[in-house]
Amino acid sequence: MPTNSASLEHVLATLHAQLEAIRAREAGTQAGRDPEELHKMRVAVRRLRAILRASRLLFDAKWVKGLRSELGWLGTALGEARDLDVLRAYVASELTSLEGAERKAGQALLRRLDADRARARGVLRGVLEGQRYAKLLTRLKASLAAPPVASTGVSLLGNAGAEFKKLRRAVKALSGHPSAEDLHEIRIKVKRARYAAELVGADAGGRGQRFIDQAKKIQDILGEHQDAVVLEEYLHEVIDRREATHALEQQLLKRQRKRRKKTRAAFFEEWPKLERRGRKAWSATPTS
């Protein structure tokens, strides 16, 4: 296991890497030509926020809370635009086989999505050109250069074990038919457990890496479930009573219900594998 000072250096290097990723994707996100730029910027923001949480015992609590709050604000702004990118891509793929009235209705739905995306992109550009975002970047750069270290006696391995135990308890408490909100909360806890494990790095060994790989798989499954939920909510908002459009949107809604059912079943099928890998990776680890 690395020394405590080495753990601190590793955490700071990881935080710096995510800040650099945010800056690297900023121009592409503002330009809006490649949706992947926004996606990668959002991932970097979420990782930075998650790493701060996973390493929070190393630092001053007020410092961590303040940075995570501002990163949460930025993540929400990025997420609103990103959700519409995902919805647009999915709907476009679903409409390729349609003809006649349904195809025309599909094109109308895409135009509505494009208009909403344009508005969201405009709002996001305002955020990235604004003072609050500029202050956040300045604050992050200064803070990571001289972080307020509260303790070096923190075990990253112990923290990874603790996050897994929280996840396991949450899954155990699920009903046989969990709600979309329940599964979204589980997805958040899977990400926290994964990022805490990734922060440990090579010290987790092969068992830790197998846990991370399975956590990624479940995260993707629950991510698709959440995409279906978001599309359902959007369709309910924009649903049109004209016959062709209404029929198309009802068809898409039906597909989302099937999609949610399929991914919910996939989660329950894959969860025992993650639980086993988590037990093997963290069972002998004292929690911090």
Side-chain angles (χ1 to χ4, degrees):
M1 183 185 299
T3 64
N4 290 328
S5 61
S7 294
L8 177 60
E9 290 174 7
H10 173 62
V11 169
L12 290 175
T14 306
L15 291 169
H16 274 290
Q18 299 312 311
L19 177 56
E20 290 172 5
I22 291 169
R23 296 304 304 266
R25 302 297 174 183
E26 182 183 296
T29 298
Q30 284 183 303
R33 288 186 289 272
D34 182 358
E36 278 302 299
E37 293 292 304
L38 167 57
H39 173 56
K40 290 176 180 178
M41 185 175 182
R42 185 191 186 196
V43 168
V45 169
R46 292 165 77 174
R47 279 181 176 272
L48 181 51
R49 190 168 185 267
I51 293 164
L52 281 168
R53 183 184 184 280
S55 61
R56 63 194 180 279
L57 296 179
L58 286 168
F59 305 109
D60 176 75
K62 186 177 179 181
W63 178 80
V64 172
K65 183 178 180 181
L67 286 179
R68 292 191 75 248
S69 176
E70 285 300 279
L71 288 165
W73 159 76
L74 178 57
T76 297
L78 293 165
E80 290 172 358
R82 174 59 184 168
D83 283 348
L84 287 165
D85 283 347
V86 172
L87 296 188
R88 209 278 181 190
Y90 175 82
V91 171
S93 70
E94 290 290 290
L95 300 182
T96 54
S97 61
L98 298 181
E99 297 179 354
E102 281 197 341
R103 185 173 185 83
K104 288 182 66 177
Q107 292 300 321
L109 179 57
L110 288 179
R111 286 194 295 273
R112 171 63 185 267
L113 274 164
D114 285 338
D116 288 342
R117 286 173 73 217
R119 281 191 289 271
R121 285 284 186 166
V123 171
L124 180 56
R125 279 193 296 273
V127 167
L128 298 181
E129 293 168 359
Q131 285 299 310
R132 186 173 179 179
Y133 175 66
K135 288 179 181 178
L136 174 57
L137 292 182
T138 300
R139 182 178 176 185
L140 282 166
K141 184 177 179 180
S143 295
L144 295 183
V149 177
S151 172
T152 56
V154 176
S155 168
L156 296 180
L157 279 168
N159 185 64
E163 291 296 340
F164 166 65
K165 289 178 181 178
K166 290 175 185 176
L167 168 63
R168 190 177 62 192
R169 286 197 296 269
V171 174
K172 187 176 181 180
L174 285 176
S175 68
H177 298 281
S179 67
E181 291 78 12
D182 290 337
L183 290 179
H184 184 55
E185 286 300 314
I186 294 297
R187 183 188 178 208
I188 291 171
K189 287 181 169 59
V190 169
K191 284 191 287 186
R192 287 175 177 173
R194 170 193 163 189
Y195 291 148
E198 288 180 343
L199 197 57
V200 174
D203 298 295
R207 289 180 174 181
Q209 186 57 54
R210 286 189 287 275
F211 173 82
I212 291 167
D213 291 343
Q214 182 65 12
K216 288 178 182 177
K217 186 173 184 178
I218 287 184
Q219 188 177 325
D220 288 343
I221 289 168
L222 293 178
E224 185 176 355
H225 184 278
Q226 183 62 18
D227 287 347
V229 171
V230 171
L231 181 52
E232 278 192 73
E233 291 174 350
Y234 182 83
L235 289 171
H236 280 302
E237 288 180 8
V238 305
I239 204 155
D240 194 324
R241 293 299 174 183
R242 288 176 297 179
E243 185 175 349
T245 307
H246 184 71
L248 171 66
E249 289 166 345
Q250 289 297 327
Q251 182 180 348
L252 287 173
L253 282 169
K254 185 177 180 180
R255 291 179 187 179
Q256 301 324 297
R257 288 191 286 270
K258 289 182 177 178
R259 197 177 171 201
R260 286 196 291 113
K261 183 178 180 180
K262 180 180 178 181
T263 50
R264 186 169 59 242
F267 164 72
F268 281 112
E269 181 179 345
E270 293 294 334
W271 164 250
K273 299 176 189 176
L274 184 63
E275 185 175 28
R276 286 195 301 272
R277 291 177 184 183
R279 287 178 181 275
K280 289 178 181 179
W282 318 119
S283 59
T285 303
T287 56
S288 57

